Amino acid sequence: MENPDLTVEAEARPSGRIQRANSLAGDVYEAIFAQLMSLKIPPGSRITVDNLVREFDVSHTPIREALGRLEGEGLVVKTHLIGYRAAPQITRRRFDELYELRLLLEPAAAAKATATLDEERLTALREAAGVMARRVGKDERLRYSNFARQDAIFHDKIMEFAQNELIRETLNHQHTHFHIFRLMYHSRVTEEALDEHEAILAAFAAGDASGAADAMRVHIENSRDRLLPAFE
Ligand SMILES: [Zn+2]
């Protein structure tokens, strides 16, 4: 495969080897996902299947498959007769609503999750947070998109351990992390978040429910403040 993004992704795989027949569709998906998250494909812009076919030097099938998957994740919109577009950027109003929702739900969930944590669950959370810190591959774009996905997994795991599926589904349904990470492509967005995740993990490890709630609140407020300049 000629595309450098795809090559780096192949290197970044834990197996270290690219299983071409099986992973082609997955690699194409990851490459387009990374371009959407890093704004190389700007929000609202048209996405032409033929252009992607040329860019990645693959057939139409994996491109259409990838776009279908991205549509399900709310990152791509398909319109009759027009075709695919990158989903528009969330509005300032929606952004405020999203963070209000997160601040209502996630600190309380973090407190509730604290009581359910055993070693196995703590390890799962540390692992989810740790994957983010790993600087795998040279491609910033892929690193950023992987971080966005891992952040979604980290927060979702806390929701899972808080044991309210309705709250978990409600947040999942918003594809929150994909939308907020697309507001700004900057290393600050990821690096400061890592320290805040550490603080949440420390409270979990200490069995400190109110500490976990506080750390989660601080993390979400800081995340909001980091991304606000995107609207200026
Ligand atoms: Zn986070």
Side-chain angles (χ1 to χ4, degrees), residues 134-147:
R134 254 171 254 150
R135 292 173 169 268
V136 181
K138 293 158 280 187
D139 190 307
E140 273 300 311
R141 225 174 245 138
L142 273 172
R143 228 168 62 71
Y144 190 82
S145 63
N146 286 336
F147 187 95

Side-chain angles (χ1 to χ4, degrees), residues 33-186:
F33 179 76
Q35 293 195 2
L36 286 162
M37 296 306 289
S38 66
L39 310 178
K40 192 191 170 197
I41 300 176
S45 65
R46 248 193 104 184
I47 301 175
T48 318
V49 174
D50 286 334
N51 286 349
L52 292 172
V53 163
R54 267 194 299 279
E55 182 176 351
F56 297 133
D57 193 22
V58 294
S59 70
H60 283 72
T61 309
I63 301 283
R64 289 193 185 284
E65 231 178 272
L67 291 174
R69 199 171 148 193
L70 290 160
E71 191 186 1
E73 291 173 336
L75 282 170
V76 162
V77 183
K78 192 181 182 188
T79 320
H80 183 57
L81 296 178
I82 294 172
Y84 295 100
R85 271 187 316 119
Q89 197 70 284
I90 57 169
T91 61
R92 174 62 198 271
R93 184 190 174 117
R94 191 71 176 174
F95 177 84
D96 289 342
E97 290 171 353
L98 202 52
Y99 272 87
E100 190 178 353
L101 181 72
R102 292 190 71 187
L103 283 167
L104 285 170
L105 299 178
E106 292 193 55
K112 204 177 156 205
T114 310
T116 78
L117 296 178
D118 52 17
E119 265 315 306
E120 195 185 328
R121 287 180 168 187
L122 261 179
T123 305
L125 288 171
R126 283 202 191 98
E127 170 68 16
V131 172
M132 283 180 255
R134 254 171 254 150
R135 292 173 169 268
V136 181
K138 293 158 280 187
D139 190 307
E140 273 300 311
R141 225 174 245 138
L142 273 172
R143 228 168 62 71
Y144 190 82
S145 63
N146 286 336
F147 187 95
R149 192 193 310 281
Q150 267 327 115
D151 191 43
I153 291 170
F154 178 72
H155 286 266
D156 181 61
K157 278 217 169 300
I158 294 170
M159 289 302 140
E160 180 191 337
F161 298 152
Q163 294 169 332
N164 184 322
E165 279 303 307
L166 182 58
I167 291 177
R168 188 183 177 197
E169 280 165 28
T170 301
L171 285 166
N172 260 337
H173 193 67
Q174 302 304 319
H175 303 293
T176 310
H177 297 261
F178 293 170
H179 286 297
I180 61 178
F181 277 85
R182 215 168 46 126
L183 280 169
M184 198 187 277
Y185 174 50
H186 197 285

